[in-house]
Amino acid sequence: MENAFSTLDYIIFILYGLVIVGVGLWVSRDKEGHQKNADDYFLASKSLPWWAIGASLIAANISAEQFIGMSGSGFAIGLAIASYEWMAALTLIIVGKYFLPIFIEKGLYTIPEFVEKRFSTNLKTILAVFWIALYVFVNLTSVLYLGALAMETIMGIPMMYGILGLALFAASYSLYGGLSAVAWTDVIQVVFLIMGGLITTYLALNNVSGGEGVIAGFKHIYEVAPDSFQMILDKANSQYVNLPGIGVIVGGLWVANLYYWGFNQYIIQRTLAAKSLGEAQKGIVFAGVLKLIIPLIVVIPGIAAFVMVNDPAIMARLGVGSMDNIPTMDAADKAYPWLLQFLPSGLKGVAFAALAAAIVSSLASMLNSTSTIFTMDIYKPYINPNATDKETVNVGRLSAAGALLIAGIVAPLLGGIDQAFQFIQEYTGVVSPGILAVFLLGLFWKKTTNKGAIIGVLSSIPIAMFFKIGPKGWLAGSSVEGIFPNVPFLDQMGYTALLSAAVIALVSYMQNKGADDEKGIEISRKTFVTGKVFNIVSYAICIVLVVLYAMFW
């Protein structure tokens, strides 16, 4: 089977690129007589409607690691990996109900800014530097590398050219236009993302069924690979260490999701740019609805690929018995690129545009948020407190360009990213439970003190490292080794968050029992009042999740 792009595929992909750049530049143009200011550049003039917010949240979230990595996990693990997506839908409801009202009421530009209002400037600066380093050396770098790797695998584009092309593509509209350009182009990106993903899913299931349609294909993969549809893994499953059974629903996945969706600048920033709190909350639940269908376009294709490569009759019918890059359990991430080979001319261009949309929209979001934190939390307070609007916007553009340049230089060095990326994610998870504990107690317990927050964050790291390597390293071979069993990574995050919160609460209580050091934020019950649309859709999402987990328990 021919794997190369046809002329029609190239035309579709080029048109997609021109549309994105053109729309990005058009929506971000300066109005006559108006100089772009910080609100315009970093918060899209606080004018985003709910549907743009929801679409932009999904576009910022879905990247190469979802299309390629989660399809690979679908191949190797099955539908259980969809917990990351479906639990995110429930997390978004919590964020919209309890976090967003406070953030918007306080008029925040950045998440570190909340830390300053609640605790101290020193703690804000520490976290701002941490997040900038994380975005530049982890998020931007890995997305550039994985995106270029996908282009190399699918189109044969050399790695360096892929990194350069993706970087220039994202920079061409996001550096000039700021969040406005990012958010409005994300609406188009999501259309490509979902349409391309659904096309791939349709053709994969249709191929499985021998041309008898999607329903027949789904029934076939469910009958042939029932273990791939188990949502709750037991300890006998080799993948239990990654998805520890019922602990996925009640344990550490909550830590990962609340940290990511509630306190991640490049995610939460588009909600801060809403016309109103009501629009932000409707955007949040719209993103939650989209989250429910994401497994259909990133996990189901992986399961279909697993059934296809393990069925000699299907492989013979497809005529791909001797093809290269066939996915295996040891190379599961090849599943999605491998499936793209079966798309006909034209649709292959649409599917690859969907993959490019996921990559470029995430890059653009990360660039904008990195420049926002640097400009508002470091440049203005410490370098130029009296910066004009023009200087602020220019620094935002220059800092985004600098971040992209550094990430582009580092990205090619990430050989063996399958292992390196997992390693980085795990050690990012060493820090996130403590930060989550600080935010949750800072939001909802008025007597949390600055000293308690700092000690809690610092103590969370040795606590996490104890759970991570203590039983295997420090205690290996000792008489107490069996007392501290190895626990799955998600459980480690849950335990670390609880113990970090306990440390923060204890230090805060012992320090002054709610006296002078506290900077509690006054929150009235009216802050958490939500509209009918938010409530109705939230209940619907909860019902759908209960049904889904009941079906595939």
Side-chain angles (χ1 to χ4, degrees):
M1 181 173 294
E2 182 60 41
N3 186 35
F5 262 37
S6 68
T7 301
L8 180 58
D9 293 318
Y10 281 112
I11 291 173
I12 290 173
F13 185 72
I14 291 170
L15 285 175
Y16 149 75
L18 292 174
V19 167
I20 294 300
V21 174
V23 170
L25 295 176
W26 185 77
V27 299
S28 58
R29 70 197 187 284
D30 289 332
K31 295 179 181 179
E32 187 175 350
H34 176 71
Q35 171 68 48
K36 197 184 297 299
N37 57 35
D39 267 4
D40 298 328
Y41 190 78
F42 298 115
L43 293 182
S45 306
K46 293 187 178 180
S47 62
L48 296 183
W50 64 268
W51 47 273
I53 293 168
S56 190
L57 282 168
I58 296 301
N61 168 240
I62 301 298
S63 189
E65 62 265 31
Q66 269 77 21
F67 265 105
I68 296 175
M70 197 162 279
S71 291
S73 295
F75 183 97
I77 302 173
L79 192 62
I81 196 66
S83 285
Y84 277 92
E85 304 301 312
W86 289 341
M87 293 292 287
L90 191 55
T91 304
L92 282 164
I93 296 172
I94 294 171
V95 171
K97 171 72 175 176
Y98 296 107
F99 299 169
L100 266 189
I102 300 172
F103 294 161
I104 291 179
E105 182 182 74
K106 301 305 173 185
L108 301 183
Y109 277 87
T110 70
I111 292 299
E113 189 180 349
F114 169 80
V115 177
E116 181 176 40
K117 290 178 181 288
R118 178 60 180 85
F119 294 110
S120 69
T121 300
N122 288 339
L123 184 56
K124 178 205 77 168
T125 304
I126 291 169
L127 292 182
V129 171
F130 164 76
W131 268 309
I132 289 172
L134 185 67
Y135 288 154
V136 174
F137 293 103
V138 177
N139 297 95
L140 282 169
T141 303
S142 61
V143 169
L144 275 174
Y145 178 85
L146 288 172
L149 184 63
M151 295 179 72
E152 187 176 54
T153 302
I154 298 168
M155 298 178 69
I157 297 174
M159 174 68 66
M160 283 302 302
Y161 291 118
I163 290 173
L164 181 62
L166 289 171
L168 291 176
F169 191 178
S172 62
Y173 66 92
S174 65
L175 295 194
Y176 173 74
L179 185 61
S180 181
V182 173
W184 288 109
T185 54
D186 278 350
V187 175
I188 302 172
Q189 307 272 36
V190 162
V191 172
F192 275 98
L193 190 155
I194 294 178
M195 181 172 63
L198 289 175
I199 287 171
T200 304
T201 300
Y202 170 81
L203 291 174
L205 292 174
N206 193 54
N207 277 329
V208 166
S209 67
E212 296 182 8
V214 172
I215 302 300
F218 189 86
K219 288 180 179 179
H220 181 75
I221 63 174
Y222 184 77
E223 292 170 357
V224 171
D227 290 346
S228 293
F229 288 87
Q230 291 182 353
M231 288 298 301
I232 306 300
L233 305 182
D234 58 36
K235 290 185 177 181
N237 193 301
S238 62
Q239 297 295 333
Y240 181 84
V241 67
N242 295 318
L243 295 167
I246 196 69
V248 171
I249 298 178
V250 299
L253 189 55
W254 281 107
V255 176
N257 271 328
L258 286 172
Y259 171 78
Y260 181 85
W261 291 103
F263 307 109
N264 187 341
Q265 178 69 26
Y266 85 83
I267 291 296
I268 208 70
Q269 187 168 340
R270 50 261 307 126
T271 64
L272 303 179
K275 290 180 178 179
S276 64
L277 174 60
E279 289 292 295
Q281 290 176 324
K282 285 188 282 188
I284 279 277
V285 294
F286 177 45
V289 171
L290 293 178
K291 268 294 177 184
L292 294 178
I293 67 173
I294 293 298
L296 182 64
I297 65 177
V298 296
V299 180
I300 296 299
I303 299 175
F306 173 79
V307 172
M308 291 165 71
V309 300
N310 286 285
D311 189 327
I314 293 178
M315 294 294 280
R317 184 176 71 243
L318 295 173
V320 294
S322 60
M323 286 188 68
D324 295 327
N325 293 321
I326 294 176
T328 65
M329 294 301 286
D330 294 328
D333 284 351
K334 294 180 179 180
Y336 197 84
W338 181 73
L339 285 172
L340 293 186
Q341 299 174 98
F342 307 118
L343 298 178
S345 178
L347 290 183
K348 192 179 294 185
V350 173
F352 189 69
L355 182 58
I359 297 164
V360 172
S361 60
S362 293
L363 281 175
S365 298
M366 292 169 190
L367 284 173
N368 185 255
S369 295
T370 303
S371 69
T372 303
I373 293 177
F374 177 81
T375 305
M376 305 307 293
D377 293 323
I378 297 197
Y379 175 75
K380 285 202 73 172
Y382 296 108
I383 300 174
N384 188 1
N386 299 316
T388 64
D389 282 333
K390 184 176 181 179
E391 289 171 333
T392 301
V393 171
N394 286 338
V395 168
R397 289 168 176 160
L398 289 172
S399 58
L404 187 60
L405 179 62
I406 294 170
I409 293 171
V410 175
L413 305 178
L414 295 182
I417 189 65
D418 288 340
Q419 291 75 32
F421 187 68
Q422 294 301 324
F423 177 85
I424 292 170
Q425 289 298 93
E426 279 201 28
Y427 279 91
T428 300
V430 168
V431 180
S432 59
I435 295 176
L436 178 66
V438 166
F439 273 100
L440 291 180
L441 287 175
L443 280 169
F444 302 116
W445 190 41
K446 185 178 179 180
K447 296 182 179 180
T448 306
T449 64
N450 179 56
K451 183 177 180 180
I454 292 174
I455 292 176
V457 164
L458 295 177
S459 66
S460 70
I461 296 175
I463 290 171
M465 294 304 293
F466 172 80
F467 282 116
K468 182 170 180 59
I469 65 176
K472 294 179 285 188
W474 307 326
L475 303 179
S478 70
S479 58
V480 295
E481 180 181 4
I483 301 177
F484 302 98
N486 294 323
V487 294
F489 172 60
L490 287 176
D491 288 347
Q492 294 173 22
M493 292 182 69
Y495 298 152
T496 301
L498 290 174
L499 291 173
S500 300
V503 170
I504 295 170
L506 181 62
V507 173
S508 297
Y509 178 79
M510 292 178 64
Q511 183 183 4
N512 56 23
K513 297 183 181 180
D516 296 337
D517 189 56
E518 71 175 58
K519 289 176 63 178
I521 291 179
E522 295 295 332
I523 304 172
S524 69
R525 289 189 178 183
K526 291 183 179 179
T527 302
F528 303 116
V529 173
T530 54
K532 290 183 179 179
V533 172
F534 179 88
N535 290 328
I536 292 171
V537 179
S538 296
Y539 293 143
I541 288 173
C542 292
I543 291 170
V544 171
L545 287 172
V546 169
V547 172
L548 286 170
Y549 275 93
M551 288 173 58
F552 301 112
W553 187 266

